[in-house]
Amino acid sequence: MGYYLHKEGARSIFFVTLLMILSGVVAFIDGKSHWGWWLLWTGIILLWIMVIYFFRMPRRRYAVPDPQTMLAPADGTIVDISQVEETEYFSSPCTKISVFMSPANVHLNRYPVSGRVVYRRYHPGKYLVAWHEKSSELNERNTVVVKTPQGREVLVRQIAGIVARRIVSYAQTGMEVSATAELGFIKFGSRVDVFFPDKAEIKVSLNQKVKGGITPLAAFVS
């Protein structure tokens, strides 16, 4: 299958690599009298490995987009399937499916459906733990709504968590997008919620592991 490093990791990888090289040079030059430098260098090497691991991207064969099916927007675990009142865009009852991404998951987010971006808005906010019931409303977040060619609208909300402090979104209003295409990136663990008002058959269950762009979340009922 193989892996590559995502472009969002370039800056973090550069600085950690530079820090590893500099501390390694100091440890080599001054290591005989200061063993602490070797300990620090070892710690930085472990940090470098963690950063490389975090920004890894597996080479996958993604699902063929189906206009009736919503795909998982991210790798992670299903932590919520519920009926809620979505107040930012729909102002109506919606089904919400939440995917929690641990720091060990791949953190690229993908569009769950194909269509046109009709709404995008960034909200500054708090950094509650990502599984907190109010994180979807109170945390830093980015909301994107895609309208499918069939006229259905699906809202995707990227939510920052207690560790995640940066949300990246590639969406722009008016863009034509395809399911499985890159929506954005959340750095160092968080959550993605999908909201939809139309009737659909849920294809996932609580605590199920899902893969972005591969696992079906739900199928619209005609």
Side-chain angles (χ1 to χ4, degrees), residues 141-168:
R141 60 203 181 277
N142 188 72
T143 300
V144 175
V145 178
V146 177
K147 187 172 185 176
T148 73
Q150 293 72 35
R152 297 186 174 95
E153 292 182 317
V154 176
L155 183 153
V156 185
R157 181 169 291 148
Q158 301 168 283
I159 304 168
I162 195 169
V163 176
R165 297 292 170 129
R166 187 180 177 204
I167 298 175
V168 179

Side-chain angles (χ1 to χ4, degrees), residues 34-189:
H34 296 86
W35 60 268
W37 281 112
W38 289 107
L39 186 62
L40 175 63
W41 189 46
T42 301
I44 292 174
I45 290 175
L46 293 175
L47 176 63
W48 182 84
I49 293 172
M50 290 172 61
V51 171
I52 292 292
Y53 181 77
F54 177 80
F55 288 105
R56 77 200 186 285
M57 289 300 303
R59 299 186 186 278
R60 295 173 176 168
R61 181 172 295 178
Y62 293 96
V64 177
D66 175 359
Q68 295 298 110
T69 302
M70 282 172 282
L71 299 172
D75 286 23
T77 304
I78 301 295
V79 294
D80 187 24
I81 303 172
S82 59
Q83 297 295 315
V84 299
E85 185 79 13
E86 199 290 311
T87 58
E88 179 181 349
Y89 181 81
F90 291 116
S91 297
S92 66
C94 290
T95 300
K96 178 179 74 169
I97 302 178
S98 301
V99 180
F100 171 72
M101 298 174 290
S102 76
N105 286 126
V106 173
H107 279 68
L108 180 67
N109 305 147
R110 297 184 179 277
Y111 290 101
V113 294
S114 299
R116 182 168 56 89
V117 176
V118 295
Y119 179 86
R120 177 188 182 277
R121 186 174 180 184
Y122 168 78
H123 303 266
K126 298 181 179 180
Y127 296 97
L128 302 173
V129 290
W131 56 84
H132 193 286
E133 62 179 2
K134 290 295 185 180
S135 64
S136 182
E137 302 171 9
L138 300 180
N139 278 22
E140 178 185 352
R141 60 203 181 277
N142 188 72
T143 300
V144 175
V145 178
V146 177
K147 187 172 185 176
T148 73
Q150 293 72 35
R152 297 186 174 95
E153 292 182 317
V154 176
L155 183 153
V156 185
R157 181 169 291 148
Q158 301 168 283
I159 304 168
I162 195 169
V163 176
R165 297 292 170 129
R166 187 180 177 204
I167 298 175
V168 179
S169 175
Y170 308 136
Q172 296 294 334
T173 303
M175 286 177 59
E176 294 291 333
V177 299
S178 297
T180 77
E182 295 187 4
L183 163 65
F185 206 98
I186 307 179
K187 295 188 176 182
F188 303 109

Side-chain angles (χ1 to χ4, degrees), residues 8-47:
E8 291 298 339
R11 181 176 296 182
S12 298
I13 292 170
F14 172 78
F15 283 114
V16 175
T17 300
L18 182 62
L19 183 61
M20 180 178 66
I21 293 172
L22 292 176
S23 61
V25 170
V26 174
F28 179 78
I29 294 174
D30 204 31
K32 291 182 179 179
S33 57
H34 296 86
W35 60 268
W37 281 112
W38 289 107
L39 186 62
L40 175 63
W41 189 46
T42 301
I44 292 174
I45 290 175
L46 293 175
L47 176 63

